[in-house]
Amino acid sequence: MRLINTTTLELQEVFDEINGPPYAILSHRWGEEELSFEEYGSGVVRDGLGYHKVLGTCALARHRGLEWIWIDTVCIDKRSSAELSEAINSMFRWYQRAEVCYAYLSDVRPSACHESGPSGMMREFQESAWFTRGWTLQELIAPPEVTFLCEDWTVIGSKRSLRAQNFRSALSSPVINGDIRRITGIPMDVLDDSVKVYQASVAQRMSWAANRSTTRPEDIAYCMLGLFDINMPLLYGEGRRAFERLQTKINSRFEDESIFAFTPMHDFVAPWQMNLYGMLAVSPAEFAGCGAHQEA
């Protein structure tokens, strides 16, 4: 993986992830002004929201005493399909190992912008599109601590696990696990890491992605690889067959019949769709009613 130095802003390759330096990590929704690895390395682009995300994350990490950060847009060379595949298959682990994840919610205005103050900001927080995206699911669950930031990079609150309580933090913010549970349907004990994500049933984990979406249809499967500790090659162009492959991998690894507890969204299935339907779900949306399933 590559990391950005929070002082020099230079990229550095890290080959030994286990013994690598502590780092902060950014979770965000992509916009129109994101920086690519190539653009960042060239040093040409030094403006726009993408660059300011780098600066903002570096400033927060330095304040916490961290010398390194990771941002997906800049730290992955997406021109290399091999590197992209390795990164997506490793991403859950990278978020797990981060000291803190900064979740930047660009659609949440600071409380000063609301007549009702903090309560108005919290309404926008609960309605943020960040909670509807596929990739942000693992970015919420994997890190021991997630600090939520609004449009101007001020702190809204934090998701903190029991493990994170021993971490040194320069930020003081309310723990909002209860709000996150109501928004996402993810149990409190999973959010605070008192119950490991792998203890939840397959159907329950699928249900957490039921109301989420991705720009590319394959990514609704790829963004869930880490939740099931599954590795598989990326085949962009396969469409929803990626979700079929994911379920096949899960079936071969776990003895958990809850994977068949989904509710089909269509009464009629055309013959050409039979290989997609059969005993497998078409999308996580078909697991929407499975949030109450407990351990596998």
Side-chain angles (χ1 to χ4, degrees):
M1 68 186 302
R2 294 185 186 88
L3 296 174
I4 301 172
N5 186 285
T6 58
T7 300
T8 67
L9 304 184
E10 294 178 351
L11 282 165
Q12 178 172 307
E13 194 91 26
V14 175
F15 296 100
D16 185 355
E17 297 173 20
I18 296 176
N19 298 307
Y23 60 91
I25 202 164
L26 180 68
S27 172
H28 65 119
R29 292 187 301 121
W30 286 23
E32 296 180 356
E33 298 179 332
E34 299 300 342
L35 278 177
S36 68
F37 167 77
E38 185 178 16
E39 290 169 333
Y40 189 80
S42 70
V44 174
V45 181
R46 286 292 181 266
D47 198 7
L49 181 58
Y51 185 64
H52 286 288
K53 285 180 181 179
V54 174
L55 297 181
T57 309
C58 282
L60 288 165
R62 284 197 309 271
H63 192 54
R64 190 184 171 104
L66 295 171
E67 296 182 25
W68 302 95
I69 66 167
W70 185 90
I71 300 177
D72 56 356
T73 48
V74 172
C75 295
I76 304 172
D77 186 356
K78 299 170 189 69
R79 296 170 299 176
S80 167
S81 58
E83 181 172 328
L84 179 61
S85 180
E86 179 184 359
I88 288 179
N89 277 282
S90 305
M91 208 168 289
F92 191 88
R93 185 175 69 250
W94 292 351
Y95 275 89
Q96 276 183 317
R97 290 177 177 166
E99 294 286 306
V100 59
C101 173
Y102 294 116
Y104 178 63
L105 279 53
S106 59
D107 55 354
V108 178
R109 294 171 295 164
S111 59
C113 296
H114 297 274
E115 291 183 3
S116 53
S119 62
M121 181 180 68
M122 289 309 297
R123 281 197 300 272
E124 287 194 358
F125 171 75
Q126 294 164 8
E127 297 169 359
S128 173
W130 188 90
F131 291 106
T132 70
R133 303 303 295 165
W135 289 107
T136 57
L137 175 59
Q138 66 174 358
E139 295 162 11
L140 170 63
I141 292 175
E145 180 179 349
V146 181
T147 296
F148 293 92
L149 309 159
C150 61
E151 182 186 32
D152 69 347
W153 293 84
T154 56
V155 175
I156 301 170
S158 290
K159 182 214 88 164
R160 284 205 183 95
S161 76
L162 299 178
R163 289 184 292 122
Q165 292 178 3
N166 294 322
F167 289 179
R168 180 171 66 85
S169 176
L171 294 172
S172 176
S173 62
V175 177
I176 51 177
N177 289 12
D179 297 277
I180 300 169
R181 179 189 60 78
R182 287 188 290 274
I183 298 166
T184 64
I186 301 171
M188 188 80 77
D189 51 12
V190 172
L191 290 172
D192 66 21
D193 202 39
S194 57
V195 169
K196 300 298 182 185
V197 63
Y198 305 121
Q199 292 178 257
S201 71
V202 168
Q204 187 178 25
R205 279 175 272 176
M206 288 289 190
S207 75
W208 301 336
N211 297 314
R212 293 173 180 261
S213 62
T214 55
T215 301
R216 303 193 67 164
E218 299 87 354
D219 283 338
I220 199 61
Y222 301 158
C223 73
M224 299 182 72
L225 294 177
L227 268 67
F228 297 99
D229 196 21
I230 295 289
N231 280 38
M232 68 184 202
L234 310 187
L235 301 173
Y236 282 105
E238 67 175 332
R240 61 188 180 190
R241 288 183 183 272
F243 190 62
E244 179 185 8
R245 279 202 299 132
L246 173 63
Q247 292 171 90
T248 301
K249 284 271 191 181
I250 292 170
N251 268 330
S252 67
R253 179 161 185 172
F254 304 109
E255 294 182 1
D256 183 351
E257 293 185 358
S258 74
I259 196 171
F260 304 117
F262 63 92
T263 301
M265 297 174 64
H266 304 281
D267 295 329
F268 173 75
V269 180
W272 61 270
Q273 292 178 310
M274 288 301 292
N275 63 324
L276 293 177
Y277 280 68
M279 295 292 289
L280 301 176
V282 173
S283 79
E286 298 189 329
F287 290 91
C290 298
H293 282 271
Q294 298 302 317
E295 293 185 16

